[in-house]
RNA sequence: GCCCCCUUGGCGGAAUUGGUAGACGCAGUGGACUUAAAAUCCAUCGCCUUCGGGCUUGCGGGUUCGAGUCCCGCAGGGGGCACCA
C-alpha cells in the first residue's frame, strides 16, 4: 500500500500532516493534564475541577466505559472504539455546561496475569502494574478526556478493602421476603441480626429445630441455620468442578456443551463446599426493574431469558413407601394437563430415592428394571452413572432418554390414579423441585421416555377450530402442546377415577391453568409458584490472583467474619502462584487453593471478642467479577478511606433523578461496553447494587441507567493458496474478475480474502501506534467515529482512513496559510448562503450528537467545511462553530485552531454552538409531483406554501399527463409531495 | 429445536411519523496545475436505454395515492438459549 500521508518534498511548511498532527496532539495532551481540564468536581472535598471549584449545583453527567483487563498484549484499533465513543459523548456534555465524570480504571485480577507470572517467575502484581502503565499510556495518546485523579485498579489494597467490605455486608444479610422496601416493593436484603431476633423471639420458627429456643442451639447449629439464609453462603449442592483449570466455576462460565468457557475443559457436577451468592432471591426484581432502565432490548431480553422466570404450580403427590408415606412435590407450568400425566420422574439426586423398596413390585416389565435385581441396586447404579456424566456427555446422547423404575408409585391428587415413579437424568435436581409429572401427550421429552418404556399416552388438549396448531400431532402419536387450544375431557373421561367436581371441559389453556391452581389450593395439595432458570452464583475460585475472603474458621469449622477494621485482607506470598490442575477428565480430583500453600498465613491466632483463639483462614479467592461488580461507584472518590462511597457524592452523581435523564432508577448516565457481558458482569453488578440498595448504602436501585453496546471492528484477513495467513498490509487488490469479485495478490502470488476478527495469528493487526505514526490520533478518532453506526460491527479498512485526514487538512487550510502559518480568517459578515448552511448544520449536528450518531454528524461537518473551502476567505463566525462542533471528535486539531484564532482558554468547556432559528430551514424546497407513486414533475416552492396553491401548481405541471380529466384523488403534503391518482 | 437481530451502488454507509433512495467518505473516470510525479483543485460516478424513458434497497406476495421503512411467506448471514418440566 502506498503511504501518502508522510511529509513530501516541497510540501508547504505548515501543512497538516501526520508529523504536525503528532506535535499538536502531544502538546495539547500535556496542557490538558497540567491544567486539569477534564477534572470533574465533587460536591465537596478536594476533588474539584481544574479551577479549584466544587460542583456548585452544576448538572452532573457520569459517562463510563467497561474498564479493561490490562493485558500485556497491547491494543489494536478494534479495542478503543467504545472508549472513543464515550469520550466524544463526555466532551459533548462538557460543552453543554455539565459537570462530567469520566475516568478509567483497571480490572486487574484474573487468570492471564497469573499465568504470565507463572511463566516469568515474577509476582503477578509486578507484571500487572507494568501492563496498566503501558495501557494507560496508549489510551492517553488517544486524547481520552479522563479525570486521571480518579483512576484505580481492582488490585489496589484501598479498593480491595471495599470489595471485601461489600462481601461482608452480603454475608451478613438475608433476604426477608415480607419486608416492605422504601420504594414500596416487597422483599429486601436485611441484616442477618434481624433474622436472629426473629428466631430469638419465636416470630419465626427455626428450620430443622422447630420448637427449640435459639439460645439452646450450639454455635455450630446456629451457624448452619444462618448459612441457609445468608446472601453469601457456603453451598452444599453440586457445583461445577473443572479439573483442567483446577477451579470451580459459575454457571455463567460453563458452556452449553458443559465445558469451561475459558480453556474449553470438561466440567463435572461435584458436591464441594464452596461460596455461593443467593442471586436467585433477586430473580424477579432483576427482571422487573429492566423496565426502569434504558438498555438495548437485546440485552434486556438476554437477561430475561437467562433468569428464565416461569409461572406454574407445585403439586404434591403422596407416595407410599416402606418408610411411610412420602411427599413428592413436582413443578409444572401446565397444571391443566394433570389429567394427562401417566408417570412421574425424579432426578437421580432426588431425596425420594432414599425410600425405594428392596424388591421389585409384582409384574414390573423387565425393561423398567435395567437388569438389576432390586430397585435399590438399580437406583444406586444409575445415580453413580449420572454423577460421572458431564453436561457434554448428556448432550452427546442427543436427547436419547435413559432411566429406571424406582419401584415407587405416586398418587395423582386429582384423579387418584397410581403413577409409576422413574428416575432419569433428563430431570434436573436444581430446577423446580427435581421431580416432574410426566405428560407424554404434551411434552416431547416425556413422550420419548414413554415410548422407550412402553408407558401410556393421554391427550388432554385439542386445538381450537382454525388455530395454527398441528392437528396431525394431536390426532396422531407425537406429543401435542397447544397454546390457544381448549381443554377437553371427553377424550380422557375414562381415566378419571376421582374428579371431585373439577371439569376443564371447553376452557382455554390459560383459563384451565387458573382453575386447576384454584382447585389445588382449595384442596391443599398444591399452589401456584414461580420458578427460575437462574441458579445461585458460585462465588469462590481456587486461584491465587484474586481477593481473599474476609472469613476464618474456628476449630469446629464454624465460619467467622473478620471485622471491618481488619480489612483489607491482603494476599500472602506463596511458593507457587499456579493453580493445581488435574487431568481434565479426572472428575474425582479435588480443588487445592494456592493460598493454602502459605501455612503461616492460613493459621492465625485472633481475638474476635472472646479472647485469643486459633483460626484458619478461608483460602479461596473471589472470582474476578467481584472487582467489576461495583467499580463504577469508586470513581466518585477512589481515595475515600471512610466509605465505599460517600452518600452526598453518590446522590449527586448517581442518585434517582440526579439529572434530566437519570430517572427513578438513577445510576451511571451512560455505560458503554461490549455485548458479551450481557449476562455475566451486568447481571452480577445489578445484583450487588440491589443488595447495597436494600441495606441502605446507595440510593439508586440500578447501577447503570443507560447501557450502550458498541459494535465490533472486524477486519479482512488473507491466505495464500496453501491456506497460510499472509500479512494483510502487503496484499494488493486487483481489478474485479468476471465474477465481480476483486482479485488479491501478495508479492505476486494469488491470495484469498476472508472476513472476521483482527488478530495476531491472522496477520491483520493494525495498532493505534501505527495510526498515530501515519495519520495522528485525531484522524484515527475521526475514522473510527465515521465508519458507521456505533452499535454495529463494521470492517476496518486502512485505505479509507485518508478521507478523514483530507477533511482535517482542508479545515486546517481554511484557517491557516500552509506556507506562512498565518491565520487567514475573515471578520467580515458572512453571506446569506453560508449563514443558512452554518445554522442548519448546527441544528442537525446537535441532534446527531444527542443521539450518539457521530458518523452522520461528521458527514454534515464535512459538507459545511467543503462549502467554506469554496469561499474566497473563511468567515471566522462560521469556522469557529465548526471547530467547536468537531472538537469532541478531533479534539487536538480543534484546540490548536481555536488557540490560533486567538482564544486563550481551552475549548473543552466552551458552550456548544446554538443555531439561530432565523437561519434554520430552507429558502425553497423541491416539491415532487407523483402520479400513482411515480415522480412526474419537480417544483421549487417556498417551504411554507399553502397546500391549495401547491396543488394548483402541481396539476398545471402535469396537466398534459392527465389528459384533461379530473383526477380521482389528490393528496397534498405541503411543501414536499403532491400525489395524484388519475381518473380511470 | 426455540427466541432475537441483520440484508441498500465496486466498498464503508445516508435516508423524521411510510413521502425526491444512494448524504458523506473510499475506490474509479476525465480535466486543471506541474518538466514530471505526489499533493491540491474542478467535473463525473447505481443499472439498462431506441435518450421518450424504464428498472433498482436479499427473494416472492400483500396493505397504501405512495413501501428501504408496515404485514405475511421464503432465502442467506449473525447472535442468545438449549432435556429448565
Amino acid at each position: 500500500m502506498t503511504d501518502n500521508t508522510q511529509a513530501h518534498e516541497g510540501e508547504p511548511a505548515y501543512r497538516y500532516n501526520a508529523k504536525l498532527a503528532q506535535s499538536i496532539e502531544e502538546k495539547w495532551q500535556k496542557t490538558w493534564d497540567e491544567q486539569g481540564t477534564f477534572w470533574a468536581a465533587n460536591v465537596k472535598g478536594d476533588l474539584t475541577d481544574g479551577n479549584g471549584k466544587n460542583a456548585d449545583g452544576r448538572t452532573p453527567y457520569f459517562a463510563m466505559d467497561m474498564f479493561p483487563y490490562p493485558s500485556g498484549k497491547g491494543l489494536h484499533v478494534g479495542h478503543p472504539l467504545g472508549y472513543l465513543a464515550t469520550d466524544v459523548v463526555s466532551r459533548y456534555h462538557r460543552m453543554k455546561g455539565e459537570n462530567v465524570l469520566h475516568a478509567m480504571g483497571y480490572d486487574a485480577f484474573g487468570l492471564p496475569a497469573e499465568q504470565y507470572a507463572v511463566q516469568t517467575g515474577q509476582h503477578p502484581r509486578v507484571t500487572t502494574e507494568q501492563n496498566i502503565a503501558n495501557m494507560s499510556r496508549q489510551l492517553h495518546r488517544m486524547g481520552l478526556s479522563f479525570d486521571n485523579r480518579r483512576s484505580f485498579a481492582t488490585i489496589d489494597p484501598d479498593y480491595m478493602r471495599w470489595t471485601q467490605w461489600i462481601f461482608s455486608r452480603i454475608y451478613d444479610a438475608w433476604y426477608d421476603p415480607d419486608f416492605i422496601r422504601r420504594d414500596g416493593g416487597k422483599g429486601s436484603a436485611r441484616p442477618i441480626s434481624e433474622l436472629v431476633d426473629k428466631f430469638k423471639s419465636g416470630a419465626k420458627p427455626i428450620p430443622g429445630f422447630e420448637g427449640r429456643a435459639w439460645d439452646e442451639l450450639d454455635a455450630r447449629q446456629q451457624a448452619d441455620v444462618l448459612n441457609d439464609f445468608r446472601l453469601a453462603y457456603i453451598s452444599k449442592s453440586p457445583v461445577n468442578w473443572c479439573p483442567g483449570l483446577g477451579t470451580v466455576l459459575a454457571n455463567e462460565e460453563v458452556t452449553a456443551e458443559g465445558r469451561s468457557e475459558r480453556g474449553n475443559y470438561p466440567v463435572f457436577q461435584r458436591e464441594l463446599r464452596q461460596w455461593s451468592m443467593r442471586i436467585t432471591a433477586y430473580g424477579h426484581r432483576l427482571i422487573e426493574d429492566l423496565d426502569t432502565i434504558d438498555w438495548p432490548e437485546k440485552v434486556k431480553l438476554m437477561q430475561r431469558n437467562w433468569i428464565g422466570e416461569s409461572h406454574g404450580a407445585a403439586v404434591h403427590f403422596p407416595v407410599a413407601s416402606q418408610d411411610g408415606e412420602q411427599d413428592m412435590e413436582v413443578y409444572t407450568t401446565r397444571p391443566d394437563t394433570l389429567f394427562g400425566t401417566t408417570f412421574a420422574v425424579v432426578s437421580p439426586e432426588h431425596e425420594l430415592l432414599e425410600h425405594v423398596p428392596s424388591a421389585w413390585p409384582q409384574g414390573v416389565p423387565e425393561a423398567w428394571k435395567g437388569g438389576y435385581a432390586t430397585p435399590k441396586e438399580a437406583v444406586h447404579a444409575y445415580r453413580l452413572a449420572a454423577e460421572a456424566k458431564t453436561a457434554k456427555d448428556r448432550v452427546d446422547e442427543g436427547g436419547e432418554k435413559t432411566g429406571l423404575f424406582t419401584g415407587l408409585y405416586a398418587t395423582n391428587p386429582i384423579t387418584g390414579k397410581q403413577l409409576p415413579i422413574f428416575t432419569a437424568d433428563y430431570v434436573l435436581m436444581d430446577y423446580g423441585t427435581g421431580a416432574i409429572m410426566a405428560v407424554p401427550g404434551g411434552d416431547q421429552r416425556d413422550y420419548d421416555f414413554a415410548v422407550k418404556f412402553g408407558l401410556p399416552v393421554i391427550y388432554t388438549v385439542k386445538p381450537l377450530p382454525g388455530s395454527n396448531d398441528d392437528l396431525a400431532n394431536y390426532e396422531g402419536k407425537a406429543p401435542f402442546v397447544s397454546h390457544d387450544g381448549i381443554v377437553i375431557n371427553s377424550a380422557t373421561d375414562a381415566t378419571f377415577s376421582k374428579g371431585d367436581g373439577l371439569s376443564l371441559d371447553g376452557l382455554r389453556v390459560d383459563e384451565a391453568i387458573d382453575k386447576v391452581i384454584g382447585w389445588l389450593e382449595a384442596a391443599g395439595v398444591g399452589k401456584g409458584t414461580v420458578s427460575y432458570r437462574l441458579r445461585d452464583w458460585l462465588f469462590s475460585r481456587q486461584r491465587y490472583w484474586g481477593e481473599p475472603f474476609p472469613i476464618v474458621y474456628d476449630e469446629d469449622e464454624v465460619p467467622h467474619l473478620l471485622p471491618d477494621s481488619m480489612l483489607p485482607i491482603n494476599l500472602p506470598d506463596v511458593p507457587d502462584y499456579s493453580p493445581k490442575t488435574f487431568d481434565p477428565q479426572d472428575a474425582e480430583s479435588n480443588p487445592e487453593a494456592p493460598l493454602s500453600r502459605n501455612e503461616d498465613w492460613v493459621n492465625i491466632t485472633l481475638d474476635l471478642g472472646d479472647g485469643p483463639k486459633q483460626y484458619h483462614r478461608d483460602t479461596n479467592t473471589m472470582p474476578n467479577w467481584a472487582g467489576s461488580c461495583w467499580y463504577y461507584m469508586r470513581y466518585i472518590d477512589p481515595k475515600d478511606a471512610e466509605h465505599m462511597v460517600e452518600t452526598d457524592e453518590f446522590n449527586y452523581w448517581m442518585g434517582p433523578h440526579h439529572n434530566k435523564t437519570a430517572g427513578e432508577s438513577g445510576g451511571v448516565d451512560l455505560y458503554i461496553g461490549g455485548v458479551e457481558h450481557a449476562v455475566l458482569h451486568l447481571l452480577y453488578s445489578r445484583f450487588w447494587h440491589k443488595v447495597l440498595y436494600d441495606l441502605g448504602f446507595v440510593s439508586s436501585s440500578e447501577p447503570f441507567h443507560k447501557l450502550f453496546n458498541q459494535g465490533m471492528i472486524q477486519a479482512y484477513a488473507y491466505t495464500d493458496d496453501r491456506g497460510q495467513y499472509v500479512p494483510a498490509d502487503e496484499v494488493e487488490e486487483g481489478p474485479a474478475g468476471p465474477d465481480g469479485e476483486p482479485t488479491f495478490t501478495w508479492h505476486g502470488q494469488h491470495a484469498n480474502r476472508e472476513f472476521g476478527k483482527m488478530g495476531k495469528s491472522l496477520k491483520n493487526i493494525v495498532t493505534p501506534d501505527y495510526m498515530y505514526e501515519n495519520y495522528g490520533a485525531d484522524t484515527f478518532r475521526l475514522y473510527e467515529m465515521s465508519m458507521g453506526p456505533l452499535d454495529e460491527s463494521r470492517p476496518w479498512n486502512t485505505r479509507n482512513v485518508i478521507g478523514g485526514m483530507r477533511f482535517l487538512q482542508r479545515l486546517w487550510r481554511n484557517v491557516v496559510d500552509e506556507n506562512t502559518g498565518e491565520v487567514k480568517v475573515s471578520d467580515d459578515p458572512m453571506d446569506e448562503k453560508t449563514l443558512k448552511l452554518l445554522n442548519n448544520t448546527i441544528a442537525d449536528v446537535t441532534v446527531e450528537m444527542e443521539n450518539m450518531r457521530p458518523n452522520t454528524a461528521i458527514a454534515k461537518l464535512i459538507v459545511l467545511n467543503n462549502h467554506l473551502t469554496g469561499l474566497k476567505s473563511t468567515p471566522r463566525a462560521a469556522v469557529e462553530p465548526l471547530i467547536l462542533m468537531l472538537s469532541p471528535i478531533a479534539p487536538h486539531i480543534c484546540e490548536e485552531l481555536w488557540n490560533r484564532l486567538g482564544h486563550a482558554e481551552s475549548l473543552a468547556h466552551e458552550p456548544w454552538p446554538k443555531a439561530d432559528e432565523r437561519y434554520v430551514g430552507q429558502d425553497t424546497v423541491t416539491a415532487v409531483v407523483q402520479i400513482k407513486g411515480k415522480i412526474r414533475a419537480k417544483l421549487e416552492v417556498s417551504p411554507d406554501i399553502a397546500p391549495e396553491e401547491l396543488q394548483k401548481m402541481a396539476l398545471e405541471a402535469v396537466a398534459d399527463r392527465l389528459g384533461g380529466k379530473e383526477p380521482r384523488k389528490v393528496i397534498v403534503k405541503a411543501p414536499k409531495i403532491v400525489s395524484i391518482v388519475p381518473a380511470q
Side-chain angles (χ1 to χ4, degrees), chain A residues 624-843:
Chain A
N624 75 324
W625 307 110
S628 60
C629 259
W630 72 281
Y631 72 108
Y632 50 94
M633 290 189 262
R634 201 58 182 167
Y635 287 130
I636 289 172
D637 185 355
K639 305 253 163 27
D640 189 336
E642 303 295 314
H643 318 85
M644 169 187 77
V645 59
E646 200 272 332
T647 303
D648 290 343
E649 302 293 351
F650 183 92
N651 291 344
Y652 174 72
W653 288 110
M654 293 184 68
H657 302 293
H658 65 267
N659 63 21
K660 272 187 207 156
T661 53
E664 187 60 40
S665 78
V668 171
D669 292 300
L670 177 65
Y671 191 30
I672 297 188
V675 72
E676 65 273 18
H677 290 113
V679 286
L680 291 158
H681 158 59
L682 287 171
L683 198 62
Y684 297 147
S685 202
R686 293 182 65 215
F687 162 54
W688 275 33
H689 196 92
K690 284 184 184 301
V691 175
L692 293 170
Y693 168 79
D694 284 355
L695 296 176
F697 295 108
V698 296
S699 61
S700 76
S701 54
E702 287 283 337
F704 313 114
H705 183 73
K706 179 175 173 125
L707 175 72
F708 187 92
N709 299 123
Q710 85 277 12
M712 273 212 329
I713 290 193
Q714 299 164 312
Y716 292 107
Y718 301 86
T719 54
D720 62 17
D721 286 332
R722 292 169 309 162
Q724 301 293 310
Y725 284 100
V726 299
D729 56 355
E730 295 171 14
V731 171
E732 298 197 23
E733 184 172 341
D739 56 353
E741 291 293 315
T743 55
F744 300 95
T745 53
W746 175 66
H747 295 296
Q749 289 180 52
H750 176 250
N752 307 292
R753 184 168 75 171
E754 53 185 64
F755 183 57
K757 284 185 175 175
M758 205 172 264
K760 221 166 230 175
S761 60
L762 307 175
K763 295 193 179 170
N764 60 355
I765 290 260
V766 181
T767 64
D769 290 331
Y770 173 88
M771 296 302 295
Y772 305 148
E773 180 92 3
N774 290 280
Y775 303 92
D778 280 331
T779 299
F780 172 49
R781 293 172 60 114
L782 185 65
Y783 175 60
E784 292 228 344
M785 290 298 100
S786 67
M787 288 166 83
L790 287 176
D791 54 358
E792 276 173 33
S793 295
R794 54 320 251 306
W796 177 269
N797 209 333
T798 306
R799 203 170 57 167
N800 291 357
V801 173
I802 189 67
M805 182 91 183
R806 285 184 191 142
F807 166 45
L808 297 183
Q809 271 176 354
R810 274 197 285 269
L811 173 64
W812 178 265
R813 211 163 25 233
N814 283 340
V815 177
V816 178
D817 186 306
E818 284 189 315
N819 295 302
T820 66
E822 296 285 308
V823 172
K824 46 156 219 183
V825 296
S826 157
D827 288 314
D828 297 336
M830 67 185 108
D831 62 280
E832 183 81 5
K833 195 176 172 198
T834 306
L835 196 58
K836 288 235 164 192
L837 179 61
L838 172 67
N839 283 287
N840 279 304
T841 305
I842 293 171

Side-chain angles (χ1 to χ4, degrees), chain A residues 331-493:
Chain A
Y331 174 74
T332 176
T333 54
R334 292 294 299 275
D336 60 302
T337 61
L338 258 164
F339 297 102
T341 180
T342 56
F343 60 102
V345 186
V346 299
S347 87
E349 298 87 16
H350 200 277
E351 185 271 331
L352 193 65
L353 299 182
E354 305 296 324
H355 304 286
V356 298
S358 36
W360 293 113
Q362 289 287 307
V364 170
E366 283 307 313
W368 294 15
K369 299 179 185 169
Y372 292 98
T374 69
K376 272 199 194 321
E377 275 178 46
V379 163
H380 180 70
Y382 190 74
R383 185 179 266 191
L384 283 183
E387 211 169 272
K389 269 191 220 174
T390 64
K392 166 84 173 141
D393 296 335
R394 294 189 183 191
V395 169
D396 284 347
E397 287 166 4
E400 179 67 23
K401 296 292 173 287
T402 63
L404 287 164
F405 181 48
T406 62
L408 295 165
Y409 291 88
T411 310
N412 185 328
I414 290 188
T415 64
K417 263 197 92 165
Q418 290 292 104
L419 309 172
I421 302 174
F422 287 75
T423 182
D425 63 8
Y426 82 91
V427 175
L428 310 174
M429 191 59 222
D430 54 358
Y431 184 77
T433 59
I436 63 159
M437 53 175 233
V439 185
D443 183 285
Q444 185 68 49
R445 296 154 302 176
D446 295 346
Y447 180 82
D448 293 345
F449 196 87
V451 167
K452 181 153 178 178
F453 290 91
L455 292 153
V457 180
I458 297 171
Y459 295 89
T460 60
V461 181
K462 105 176 172 190
L464 279 173
S467 84
N468 287 329
D469 286 317
D470 185 0
L471 265 171
N473 272 358
Y474 168 66
E475 300 293 348
K477 283 175 281 179
F480 171 73
V481 180
S482 175
H483 297 287
D484 54 0
I486 51 177
V487 177
I488 59 164
N489 62 18
S490 55
T492 57
D493 264 343

Side-chain angles (χ1 to χ4, degrees), chain A residues 171-422:
Chain A
Y171 174 80
D172 240 349
W174 68 298
Y175 201 79
D176 181 347
D178 299 319
F179 191 91
I180 304 298
R181 299 189 303 270
R182 60 201 141 132
D183 60 28
K186 200 171 160 199
S188 175
R190 298 302 301 163
I192 196 88
S193 59
E194 289 186 8
L195 177 66
V196 173
D197 289 344
K198 283 178 197 278
F199 286 149
K200 278 185 175 164
S201 71
K204 193 175 171 72
I206 305 167
F209 298 94
E210 285 82 356
R212 301 259 308 267
W214 179 251
D215 291 332
E216 287 173 30
L217 308 192
D218 65 28
R220 169 82 260 167
Q221 289 168 327
Q222 289 181 349
D224 282 347
V225 169
L226 293 183
N227 184 65
D228 289 341
F229 287 89
R230 291 182 189 277
L231 291 181
Y233 64 98
I234 296 169
S235 164
K236 294 156 194 159
S237 53
V239 298
N240 303 302
W241 164 236
C242 179
L245 288 175
T247 186
V248 295
L249 296 168
N251 267 313
E252 288 80 359
E253 295 166 312
V254 180
T255 65
E257 284 79 38
R259 291 180 157 255
S260 59
E261 198 148 73
R262 191 183 279 277
N264 201 32
Y265 294 111
V267 170
F268 300 89
Q269 296 297 304
R270 286 282 305 283
E271 292 201 15
L272 299 168
R273 290 172 61 87
Q274 294 290 332
W275 286 101
S276 201
M277 291 222 174
R278 215 174 293 279
I279 189 172
T280 48
Y282 283 82
H284 183 67
R285 285 167 68 187
L286 287 169
I287 287 180
E288 193 175 55
D289 287 356
L290 288 172
D291 293 339
T292 68
I293 51 181
D294 182 7
W295 284 23
E297 274 310 314
K298 179 190 158 100
V299 176
K300 288 188 181 183
L301 190 69
M302 282 167 72
Q303 291 217 344
R304 281 192 197 101
N305 289 343
W306 186 263
I307 296 166
E309 183 172 276
S310 84
H311 296 259
V315 186
H316 293 271
F317 286 64
V319 177
S321 86
Q322 63 211 10
D323 311 319
E325 187 176 284
Q326 305 296 320
D327 171 44
M328 182 182 73
E329 187 184 13
V330 307
Y331 174 74
T332 176
T333 54
R334 292 294 299 275
D336 60 302
T337 61
L338 258 164
F339 297 102
T341 180
T342 56
F343 60 102
V345 186
V346 299
S347 87
E349 298 87 16
H350 200 277
E351 185 271 331
L352 193 65
L353 299 182
E354 305 296 324
H355 304 286
V356 298
S358 36
W360 293 113
Q362 289 287 307
V364 170
E366 283 307 313
W368 294 15
K369 299 179 185 169
Y372 292 98
T374 69
K376 272 199 194 321
E377 275 178 46
V379 163
H380 180 70
Y382 190 74
R383 185 179 266 191
L384 283 183
E387 211 169 272
K389 269 191 220 174
T390 64
K392 166 84 173 141
D393 296 335
R394 294 189 183 191
V395 169
D396 284 347
E397 287 166 4
E400 179 67 23
K401 296 292 173 287
T402 63
L404 287 164
F405 181 48
T406 62
L408 295 165
Y409 291 88
T411 310
N412 185 328
I414 290 188
T415 64
K417 263 197 92 165
Q418 290 292 104
L419 309 172
I421 302 174
F422 287 75

